[in-house]
């Protein structure tokens, strides 16, 4: 299969920071060790099938521009099977070991569920063959419960029970296929699980229904012996006015309220974090501190465009912040860095897929090295530790231990008087970070 779909493009080599070859890595050196693991083991890059193979690069004002010579544009199973080989050749050449997919981006949706399931099985046969030939693995699978017209008012939160059931049936099948392909995880992104207006919405019922769908999936996962992780992916809006899984905190609250905490962790996406009005570091921190940081959809938005632009990450500051959080949780287990990102509409040639992924991988290699160096240096950590040290003894230790009362606090202040505080040193700390970037 080699050379068939991306002729003239070699396997991308590592040439180091002095290289001026656009089709070479300057920083990502798969086998190079950072701390006790190789870059490849730390970063666990994955390629998103929906963007890399299926995104025509349309925007709200214009249609598809992407040139994908191997794709005949039809909805046939044969075309879908052929695309598998283009995807795997691409991943082999760019050196990415994992991929992620939705049921409907790998296989066409046909006239009824049975026909769509059969098409998915036929493409899964091909995916399995390609995985076996290349050693590439499935990071996670998911079901697309948002594109088809039936899901116009949601899937798990649709006001129509038959639509809920259709979505549940799609989840069942997508889980089976993910399991068959040895997937390390399964994602629930609540596509249209939210509302357009509260005037027509019973929020309580919708949320209870969404929880029912997830409980059914947890039960089925156990029944079929799927050992992969379940993730829920926060996003505040778009396409809905409001989506219930709006950010990390909302997802965690939902999982706790509905007895699902521990069954699902979070798949956090950069562009969704910024749409929620947070930094990516904030979203990761919230999840990590709750022991629920599972995986990452690695992309970025555009500061000047208000929608989910799904761009490739190139900011070293951003990738450093992300890798600090990943390293602090002890690295990924089942998760990884999935490039949920697409080329710009203007970048329509197949070779642009290479430039895009190379750039993202190099940016994360630098982020990893920088984050590792900052942690090794220790100045940031020791500043933070010292900042809270008044809680290590005396009244602070009693407060943390839960043994101090309001009366104790009053007695303490009456005895010691006005408290003193110290500078938060934000500027100094930001300067330290820049020493490493
Ligand atoms: C949509 C999005 C999805 C999920 C999987 O904004 O990010 O691609 O990652 O459904
Ligand atoms: Co995503």
């Amino acid at each position: 299969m080699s050379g068939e779909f991306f002729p003239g493009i070699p396997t991308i080599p590592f040439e180091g920071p002095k290289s001026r070859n656009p089709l070479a890595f300057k920083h990502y050196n798969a086998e190079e060790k950072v701390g006790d693991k190789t870059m490849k083991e730390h970063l666990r890059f994955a390629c998103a099938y929906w963007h890399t193979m299926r995104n025509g690069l349309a925007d709200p004002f214009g249609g598809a521009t992407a040139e994908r010579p191997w794709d005949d544009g039809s909805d046939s199973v044969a075309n879908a099977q052929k695309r598998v080989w283009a995807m795997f050749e691409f991943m082999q050449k760019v050196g990415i070991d994992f991929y992620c997919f939705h049921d409907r981006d790998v296989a066409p949706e046909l006239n009824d569920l049975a026909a769509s399931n059969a098409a998915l099985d036929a493409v899964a046969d091909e995916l399995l063959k390609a995985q076996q030939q290349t050693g590439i693995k499935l990071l996670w699978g998911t079901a697309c419960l948002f594109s088809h017209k039936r899901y116009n008012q949601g899937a798990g939160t649709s006001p129509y029970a038959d639509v809920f059931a259709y979505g549940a049936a799609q989840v069942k099948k997508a889980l089976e296929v993910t399991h068959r392909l040895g997937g390390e995880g399964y994602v629930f992104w609540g596509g249209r699980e939210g509302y357009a207006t509260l005037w027509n919405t019973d929020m309580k019922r919708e949320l209870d229904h969404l929880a029912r769908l997830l409980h059914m999936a947890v039960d089925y996962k156990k029944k079929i012996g799927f050992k992969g992780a379940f993730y829920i992916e926060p996003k505040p809006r778009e396409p809905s006015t409001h989506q219930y899984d709006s950010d990390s905190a909302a997802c965690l609250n939902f999982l706790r309220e509905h007895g699902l905490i521990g069954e699902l962790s979070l798949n956090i996406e950069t562009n969704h974090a910024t749409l929620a009005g947070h930094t990516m570091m904030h979203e990761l921190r919230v999840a990590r501190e709750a022991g629920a940081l599972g995986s990452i959809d690695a992309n970025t938005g555009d500061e000047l465009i208000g929608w989910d632009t799904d761009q490739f990450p190139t900011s070293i500051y951003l990738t450093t912040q992300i890798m600090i959080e990943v390293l602090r949780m002890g690295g990924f287990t089942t998760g990884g860095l999935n490039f949920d990102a697409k080329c710009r509409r203007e970048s329509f040639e197949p070779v642009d897929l290479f430039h895009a992924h190379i750039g993202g991988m190099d940016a994360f290699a630098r982020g990893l090295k920088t984050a590792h160096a900052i942690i090794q240096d220790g100045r940031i950590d020791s500043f933070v530790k010292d900042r809270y040290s008044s809680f290590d003894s005396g009244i602070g230790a009693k407060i943390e231990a839960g043994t101090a009362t309001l009366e104790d606090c009053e007695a303490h202040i009456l005895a010691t008087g006005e408290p003193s505080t110290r500078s938060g040193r934000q500027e100094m700390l930001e300067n330290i970070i820049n020493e490493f970037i």
Side-chain angles (χ1 to χ4, degrees):
M1 72 181 205
S2 184
E4 205 181 332
F5 301 99
F6 298 91
I9 301 179
T11 299
I12 305 302
F14 168 72
E15 292 184 356
K18 293 212 169 79
S19 167
R20 292 294 172 263
N21 175 5
L23 291 177
F25 293 111
K26 317 294 187 305
H27 303 279
Y28 178 66
N29 187 10
E31 301 303 333
E32 184 183 323
K33 279 204 160 177
V34 176
D36 55 0
K37 284 195 283 189
T38 63
M39 286 195 182
K40 175 172 146 168
E41 289 163 342
H42 276 292
L43 297 166
R44 291 171 56 89
F45 289 125
C47 200
Y49 207 101
W50 54 100
H51 283 311
T52 306
M53 283 297 124
R54 304 309 309 279
N55 203 306
L57 309 181
D59 69 18
F61 297 94
T65 59
E67 291 169 2
R68 305 289 181 250
W70 54 85
D71 197 312
D72 67 16
S74 77
D75 247 1
S76 74
V77 171
N79 190 35
Q81 288 176 320
K82 190 174 175 197
R83 234 185 248 129
V84 167
W85 297 101
M87 176 72 172
F88 278 69
E89 183 187 316
F90 174 75
M91 286 190 288
Q92 274 199 308
K93 285 184 168 176
V94 84
I96 289 188
D97 296 329
F98 294 96
Y99 71 107
C100 301
F101 72 85
H102 299 82
D103 50 0
R104 301 301 181 238
D105 29 83
V106 290
E109 171 137 24
L110 301 174
N111 284 337
D112 58 34
L113 186 65
S116 300
N117 284 351
L120 185 52
D121 283 334
V123 178
D125 292 343
E126 219 62 18
L127 287 166
L128 195 58
K129 251 186 261 167
Q131 286 184 200
Q132 283 160 353
Q133 275 188 31
T134 60
I136 287 169
K137 291 185 275 192
L138 177 60
L139 191 70
W140 51 260
T142 185
C144 175
L145 306 184
F146 44 89
S147 292
H148 193 277
K149 188 179 173 193
R150 80 177 73 85
Y151 298 124
N152 69 82
Q153 291 160 63
T157 62
S158 171
Y160 307 105
D162 288 346
V163 175
F164 178 107
Y166 208 111
Q170 238 183 282
V171 168
K172 173 179 178 287
K173 184 68 187 175
L175 262 172
E176 289 163 3
V177 171
T178 300
H179 184 38
R180 180 178 169 215
L181 295 175
E184 299 195 11
Y186 185 92
V187 162
F188 295 86
W189 170 58
R192 294 178 194 273
E193 311 297 20
Y195 56 79
T197 172
L198 281 174
W199 294 117
N200 64 13
T201 300
D202 186 332
M203 191 191 270
K204 171 100 178 67
R205 281 185 98 168
E206 291 202 358
L207 282 164
D208 285 348
H209 297 167
L210 185 57
R212 282 315 318 149
L213 178 62
L214 295 177
H215 274 290
M216 286 179 193
V218 168
D219 291 345
Y220 195 64
K221 167 192 181 181
K222 290 176 184 162
K223 184 171 177 187
I224 64 176
F226 174 60
K227 297 274 183 288
F230 268 9
Y231 311 113
I232 190 164
E233 182 174 323
K235 184 172 181 179
R237 56 175 184 271
E238 207 192 48
S240 323
T241 309
H242 175 79
Q243 298 193 187
Y244 296 127
D245 307 326
S246 56
D247 64 1
S248 290
C251 285
L252 290 168
N253 182 56
F254 172 79
L255 295 176
R256 287 196 186 101
E257 186 178 343
H258 294 277
L260 287 158
I261 198 91
E263 298 290 0
L264 289 94
S265 59
L266 306 189
N267 179 45
I268 299 182
E269 176 165 331
T270 317
N271 208 164
H272 298 178
T274 47
L275 285 173
H278 301 308
T279 62
M280 180 59 164
M281 196 179 190
H282 167 91
E283 286 295 85
L284 295 173
R285 182 74 62 91
V286 169
R288 177 169 73 77
E289 303 280 29
L293 173 49
S295 199
I296 289 176
D297 269 9
N299 64 13
T300 193
D302 185 301
E303 283 169 25
L304 304 178
I305 301 178
W307 70 79
D308 196 3
T309 56
D310 281 341
Q311 287 171 236
F312 278 84
T314 53
S315 158
I316 315 298
Y317 212 92
L318 171 67
T319 57
T320 298
Q321 290 179 326
I322 293 174
M323 292 315 297
I324 290 236
E325 296 302 320
V326 171
L327 291 177
R328 289 215 165 118
M329 76 159 178
F332 291 118
T333 47
T334 50
L337 293 168
N338 169 44
F339 286 117
D340 189 356
K342 61 187 181 198
C343 292
R344 297 306 82 199
R345 188 168 185 265
E346 301 86 339
S347 310
F348 49 79
E349 294 176 23
V351 70
D352 291 308
L353 291 171
F354 284 88
H355 296 309
H357 284 81
I358 290 169
M361 292 161 82
D362 266 347
F364 267 101
R366 288 181 74 179
L368 167 63
K369 283 192 191 170
T370 311
H372 178 73
I374 291 167
I375 291 171
Q376 290 292 106
D377 173 77
R379 273 176 289 165
I380 301 281
D381 280 339
S382 61
F383 181 88
V384 174
K385 192 164 183 291
D386 187 52
R387 189 164 180 241
Y388 294 88
S389 58
S390 63
F391 283 92
D392 295 339
S393 60
I395 188 72
K398 280 192 196 154
I399 292 170
E400 283 202 350
T403 56
T405 62
L406 290 180
E407 294 97 308
D408 294 335
C409 290
E410 183 191 48
H412 175 76
I413 293 303
L414 288 174
T416 57
E418 186 60 31
S420 62
T421 63
R422 285 181 284 163
S423 165
R425 296 263 188 273
Q426 179 172 338
E427 298 78 1
M428 181 192 85
L429 297 169
E430 287 168 346
N431 295 348
I432 293 177
I433 297 297
N434 276 355
E435 281 178 32
F436 293 88
I437 295 219

